[in-house]
Amino acid sequence: MDTKELEKNLQSFFKKCEEKGYPLETFCLIDNDTDYILEVKANWIDELDSCSKALDILNDILWDTTNVETRKRIFAISVLDSEEQPHCYTEITQ
């Protein structure tokens, strides 16, 4: 699965994030040889008590909106805050 196909498969994830009130300002797929890191910027991250809460939200939506093959291609999610600084990071487990 190439980057364009992965982006296409993630469209339902991006849409569901917005529908649930957790819109992503920007995203980037960072090539990690055999898989990708999904880097997202979300201003609402700054308002949460903890980084783990943001990752729980994003992981739940990812699992609800993507198939196993898509998730296998995503090694981790990296979240940038409103200042575009790394806020949190988690590896995705199949």
Side-chain angles (χ1 to χ4, degrees):
M1 181 180 307
D2 66 6
T3 307
K4 288 188 186 247
E5 186 176 355
L6 185 56
E7 283 183 24
K8 180 182 171 193
N9 291 350
L10 288 170
Q11 289 306 308
S12 58
F13 166 72
F14 302 133
K15 184 178 179 182
K16 185 61 83 172
C17 285
E18 187 167 340
E19 287 173 1
K20 289 191 167 234
Y22 302 108
L24 303 176
E25 311 305 315
T26 60
F27 78 93
C28 179
L29 290 168
I30 301 168
D31 193 348
N32 193 28
D33 289 329
T34 60
D35 45 32
Y36 296 87
I37 296 171
L38 174 60
E39 183 176 82
V40 299
K41 178 184 175 215
N43 293 339
W44 53 266
I45 298 294
D46 297 339
E47 300 168 13
L48 296 179
D49 298 342
S50 70
C51 184
S52 63
K53 187 171 183 176
L55 292 171
D56 287 345
I57 290 166
L58 294 173
N59 278 326
D60 287 348
I61 295 172
L62 184 71
W63 278 77
D64 288 344
T65 59
T66 60
N67 60 29
V68 173
E69 290 305 311
T70 300
R71 291 191 304 268
K72 282 183 182 179
R73 302 296 290 156
I74 300 173
F75 173 73
I77 297 177
S78 175
V79 179
L80 304 179
D81 62 18
S82 61
E83 302 295 319
E84 296 191 14
Q85 297 300 311
H87 189 74
C88 46
Y89 177 92
T90 188
E91 290 182 12
I92 303 297
T93 57
Q94 309 313 314

